């Protein structure tokens, strides 16, 4: 059997990918994984309104979409969060917002045996 020169850990991740979970099939083929991606779109800025008509400084906001997709069976899970402060995106990705997506990806990877379709 020829030696593998590339593993899932060594493969460069595409932009936006924040996590990968090897599936059961990944024991045979490291290209079998569930991948979590984060994508953002611009949202309306948030501006706090105070008493007497005073308004705070506008805060940049984004809409955040977390997508977990298996590259073997193509099953996926997607969650969207609207009006997230852009300045705290990293903290949001490490918080409970992303935990549900991580749990889905881990649970799916533990049982999926589908292999990705080979490319020519």
């Amino acid at each position: 059997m020829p030696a593998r020169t590339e593993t899932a850990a060594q493969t460069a991740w595409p932009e936006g990918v924040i996590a990968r979970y090897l599936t059961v099939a990944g024991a045979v083929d490291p290209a079998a994984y569930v991948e979590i991606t984060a994508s953002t779109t611009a949202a309306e800025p948030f501006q706090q309104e105070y008493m007497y008509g005073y308004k705070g400084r506008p805060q940049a906001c984004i809409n955040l979409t977390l997508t977990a997709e298996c590259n073997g069976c193509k099953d996926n899970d997607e969650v969207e969060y609207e009006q997230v402060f852009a300045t705290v995106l990293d903290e949001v990705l490490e918080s409970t917002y992303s935990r549900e997506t991580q749990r889905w990806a881990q649970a799916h990877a533990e049982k999926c045996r589908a292999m990705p379709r080979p490319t020519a």
Side-chain angles (χ1 to χ4, degrees):
M1 182 168 166
R4 286 208 171 103
T5 58
E6 191 174 273
T7 66
Q10 295 170 330
T11 304
W13 291 4
E15 189 172 333
V17 173
I18 58 173
R20 275 190 179 164
Y21 296 86
L22 281 178
T23 63
V24 175
V28 176
D29 182 358
Y33 51 79
V34 177
E35 192 167 72
I36 299 177
T37 57
S39 59
T40 60
T41 56
E44 288 291 318
F46 173 79
Q47 190 169 24
Q48 180 71 43
E49 293 186 18
Y50 299 100
M51 294 177 12
Y52 309 114
Y54 292 108
K55 293 186 177 183
R57 187 178 55 177
Q59 298 282 330
C61 290
I62 56 173
N63 296 326
L64 171 65
T65 304
L66 296 175
T67 306
E69 183 174 8
C70 178
N71 74 336
C73 70
K74 302 301 181 195
D75 196 4
N76 66 41
D77 181 64
E78 186 172 279
V79 180
E80 187 171 332
Y81 301 99
E82 296 180 348
Q83 294 293 106
V84 176
F85 289 124
T87 56
V88 295
L89 179 59
D90 289 338
E91 289 83 357
V92 169
L93 291 174
E94 294 173 8
S95 71
T96 57
Y97 282 104
S98 65
R99 297 283 188 263
E100 203 55 40
T101 304
Q102 291 172 351
R103 280 198 265 294
W104 184 91
Q106 180 67 44
H108 184 82
E110 288 173 357
K111 63 184 178 190
C112 185
R113 289 174 163 61
M115 299 288 283
R117 184 181 194 103
T119 55

